[in-house]
Amino acid sequence: MSYPETIMIGDLAYLPDVHAIVAQPSSIDALADADTPIVVGQYRVVPWGEDNNLPNVVMEKIGKSDPLAANIDHNIKMMYGQGVKPFLSIIEDGRERLEICTDDRVLEFMENNDIPGYFLEQCADMATFYQAFPEIILTRDMKAVYSLRHKEAAFSRLGVADKKTGEITKHFYSAAWADGKATPENTVVSDILNRHNPLGDLRNRIANRNVSVPRFMMHLFFPTPGRVYYQSPSYFSIFRSGSYDYSTMIWHFKRALMKNGLKTRYVIYMSDKYWDSIFKDEKIDTSNPEKVKQRKEEEFAKFRQFLSDEENAGKGLVVTKKMIPSGSSVVEEKYIVIEPVQSTIKGGEFLEDSSEVSNSINYATNVHPSLIGSPPGKSTGSMSGTDKRELYHIKSAMMAPYRDRLLRPLYLVSAFNGWPKNLVWKVIDYEFTTLDKNKTGKQTGTTGSDNQQNIES
C-alpha cells in the first residue's frame, strides 16, 4: 500500500494522510553521564556528559526556550543583586554596624580586576550549571594575590579524584572539548586548591615551595546529592521529565500548522533510542541518509496503518518502553507514545498545554512568573505591588547559599593579602518600600547570609 510522501518540518515529520506529527524529544539522553575518563597527555579527565559536551547542549536548549531563558537570566540578576562591595564590620554593644571600606589596597584590587564583571560572570555560571571556577593568580614573589579571574565553566573539566583522599586536584581548560580535539597543546592544566581549606592549602604550598606555576583554581559549587564532579542543577528535571521537550515542540507544531495550513489529529512522540535500537539490530549504516530515510518510512507506515483503523480512533498507544534504574526504584521511559489532539480551533491548539509547561519550567527554576512578566495562557492572573515586593524579598533571601559560595575567593584574597581582619564582602540588594515612605519605591541595603545591616559611609 502506498502513502502520501512524508513532509519534513525541521526535526518534525508530518504524515498528511492521518494528520499526525512525529516528534523526537531527546533531552534525557543529553544529560547522561559518561563512564570512562578521557586522556589528555598524562592526565585522566572526567567528561562532562556522555559526549563531554553537556554545557553546550544545555546552553543551546536554554536558548530555544522563552521561559527557561528568561528564568535563568532572572536568577543570574537576582544572584548578582546590585553587585558585591567591601565593608568594615564594626561591633558596638553586641550589634554589627557596617562601614564602607576605603582601604586603598582593597579599592585598587577591585579596580584592577573588574570585580563587578568577575562576579557577574561567576553568577552566570552558578545559576546555569551550579558551579563556577575562579582563578587565583599570585605575584612573582608569591607574597600576595594580584589577580582574580573568571574561567568559563563550559570550557572547564575536572581531573579524576585522588583514590586515597577523594580530592579533585586538577582543572583542565580548553575550548576544544565539544569537538573532541582537546590536546596538551590547547589545554591549560591548573592545580585546584583544597575545597575544605583553600587558604591553608595555598599557604602550605608556598611554604613548602610546592608551586610550579603561581596560579591556582578554586571549584565553587552548589552541592547536589550524589554528585562528585559536575553538579546537576534542580531545573534539569524539566529535561528528564519531558517538560522542556514538550514546551519547545508546541511552538514547532503551531508554526508548522499556521505556515502550512496543516491539520493535526495526533502527535507521535518517539525517543531517539527507539531509532538507535532499530538501526543497531538491523545493522543499518546511519551515515547513509537514503537507508535511514527508507527505514523511517517503513516505521511511519506502521503508524499510518494503526491510525487509519477506525477502531483505534481517539486511542493513545504506548508501543515500546524501557525501565531505567533510578536510585532505589526505576523510571519508565516510553519509546513511543501516540496522543490525540482534541482542539478543532485553528491556531488554538496546545494553548492550555503551553501554559501548563511554562508553569512547570517556572516551578523548576524557582521563579514566580509575576516577577518577570505575565505567564502564557488565558488567565494571566494579577498581583498587588505588596505581593510582588514580598516575592522579590523572598527570592533575594534564597540567594544566600549561592552568594556564600561565590564570595569565598574574595575572603581568601583578603586573608592572604593581609587586608583588615574585619573586612567583609556583601552583595547589595534593593529593599523595596512603599511610595509613601520613598518616592522611588526603593532603598539600598545589603544582604548575603545576614539580615539587613545599617551602612555608614
Side-chain angles (χ1 to χ4, degrees):
M1 183 177 179
S2 60
Y3 297 100
E5 184 177 355
T6 301
I7 302 174
M8 301 305 299
I9 309 168
D11 295 332
L12 307 175
Y14 181 72
L15 313 181
D17 49 317
V18 291
H19 305 301
I21 283 183
V22 182
Q24 300 178 49
S26 59
S27 289
I28 296 177
D29 293 343
L31 301 180
D33 289 325
D35 297 325
T36 307
I38 59 177
V39 178
V40 178
Q42 60 178 314
Y43 301 104
R44 292 197 304 155
V45 181
V46 179
W48 197 347
E50 192 171 35
D51 58 357
N52 198 25
N53 193 34
L54 189 144
N56 290 319
V57 171
V58 169
M59 289 188 293
E60 182 180 359
K61 289 183 177 296
I62 291 174
K64 291 181 178 179
S65 171
D66 295 341
L68 181 56
N71 288 356
I72 295 297
D73 179 69
H74 174 77
N75 285 338
I76 293 170
K77 293 174 181 176
M78 289 297 299
M79 198 177 295
Y80 180 82
Q82 297 299 311
V84 60
K85 303 290 183 183
F87 296 92
L88 295 179
S89 175
I90 310 298
I91 306 299
E92 295 177 342
D93 299 326
R95 295 173 62 89
E96 181 183 28
R97 175 173 56 84
L98 298 180
E99 291 184 356
I100 296 176
C101 177
T102 57
D103 190 303
D104 290 339
R105 298 170 299 172
V106 178
L107 299 181
E108 183 180 359
F109 180 87
M110 290 190 65
E111 181 178 348
N112 291 341
N113 287 278
D114 182 21
I115 294 302
Y118 155 83
F119 187 65
L120 181 58
E121 288 186 294
Q122 293 274 290
C123 289
D125 276 351
M126 183 64 76
T128 306
F129 301 114
Y130 273 24
Q131 50 204 334
F133 296 91
E135 183 180 42
I136 309 292
I137 303 177
L138 306 175
T139 55
R140 290 184 178 181
D141 59 9
M142 292 184 286
K143 292 183 178 180
V145 176
Y146 84 90
S147 185
L148 185 59
R149 293 287 183 262
H150 165 79
K151 308 302 284 188
E152 289 287 342
F155 299 153
S156 298
R157 297 296 184 272
L158 298 170
V160 175
D162 185 277
K163 292 183 179 180
K164 294 182 179 179
T165 64
E167 283 292 319
I168 301 171
T169 61
K170 295 294 182 182
H171 172 271
F172 302 86
Y173 197 72
S174 175
W177 302 117
D179 300 329
K181 298 179 180 179
T183 65
E185 289 72 29
N186 61 22
T187 303
V188 178
V189 183
S190 303
D191 289 331
I192 298 179
L193 294 174
N194 182 284
R195 67 187 180 95
H196 300 291
N197 184 12
L199 177 61
D201 187 19
L202 178 60
R203 286 172 170 168
N204 287 336
R205 288 171 184 264
I206 294 175
N208 297 329
R209 298 184 179 181
N210 185 21
V211 179
S212 56
V213 181
R215 56 175 171 74
F216 297 90
M217 299 297 301
M218 292 182 68
H219 181 201
L220 310 178
F221 57 88
F222 185 91
T224 53
R227 308 293 298 190
V228 177
Y229 296 100
Y230 309 106
Q231 303 307 305
S232 180
S234 58
Y235 76 88
F236 277 14
S237 60
I238 64 175
F239 302 134
R240 296 188 176 96
S241 68
S243 296
Y244 170 87
D245 288 314
Y246 192 42
S247 69
T248 54
M249 283 189 294
I250 285 173
W251 298 111
H252 282 293
F253 295 160
K254 293 178 73 70
R255 185 168 65 247
L257 294 175
M258 291 185 287
K259 182 178 180 180
N260 299 282
L262 306 177
K263 296 180 179 180
T264 305
R265 294 175 58 192
Y266 305 98
V267 178
I268 304 171
Y269 300 99
M270 300 187 67
S271 169
D272 281 348
K273 292 181 180 179
Y274 182 73
W275 293 119
D276 292 340
S277 62
I278 288 179
F279 298 150
K280 182 178 180 180
D281 293 341
E282 300 181 10
K283 299 180 180 180
I284 296 175
D285 183 6
T286 55
S287 63
N288 188 324
E290 289 299 324
K291 289 185 178 181
V292 170
K293 181 180 179 181
Q294 181 182 352
R295 183 60 186 87
K296 286 189 174 184
E297 286 289 354
E298 292 175 8
E299 205 64 21
F300 293 156
K302 296 180 182 179
F303 301 141
R304 288 180 161 105
Q305 183 177 1
F306 175 82
L307 296 175
S308 60
D309 188 340
E310 293 184 0
E311 293 182 0
N312 296 321
K315 291 184 179 180
L317 168 68
V318 178
V319 179
T320 308
K321 62 184 178 181
K322 181 180 180 181
M323 307 308 290
I324 303 175
S326 177
S328 59
S329 60
V330 292
V331 176
E332 179 184 86
E333 181 180 349
K334 300 172 182 178
Y335 276 8
I336 299 178
V337 179
I338 300 178
E339 295 181 354
V341 177
Q342 302 296 338
S343 176
T344 58
I345 304 174
K346 184 177 180 180
E349 295 83 354
F350 310 108
L351 186 60
E352 293 184 3
D353 303 78
S354 176
S355 177
E356 182 180 357
V357 296
S358 292
N359 285 333
S360 295
I361 292 174
N362 292 335
Y363 195 83
T365 51
N366 198 23
V367 175
H368 195 289
S370 294
L371 287 175
I372 58 176
S374 299
K378 295 180 181 179
S379 178
T380 58
S382 61
M383 298 188 73
S384 67
T386 299
D387 291 334
K388 291 183 178 180
R389 183 172 65 249
E390 292 307 310
L391 283 174
Y392 176 86
H393 291 161
I394 292 171
K395 182 70 175 182
S396 296
M398 294 173 66
M399 291 292 107
Y402 301 96
R403 292 171 174 175
D404 281 347
R405 297 292 89 194
L406 294 174
L407 293 178
R408 290 193 78 194
L410 289 169
Y411 279 103
L412 181 148
V413 173
S414 299
F416 190 83
N417 286 1
W419 294 342
K421 292 185 179 296
N422 63 334
L423 175 66
V424 294
W425 297 90
K426 295 288 183 181
V427 176
I428 307 300
D429 274 325
Y430 277 132
E431 292 291 329
F432 291 99
T433 184
T434 53
L435 295 177
D436 61 329
K437 296 180 180 179
N438 190 314
K439 292 182 179 181
T440 65
K442 61 187 179 183
Q443 61 188 30
T444 301
T446 65
T447 63
S449 54
D450 306 317
N451 294 323
Q452 180 74 16
Q453 302 287 340
N454 294 322
I455 303 175
E456 294 185 6
S457 57

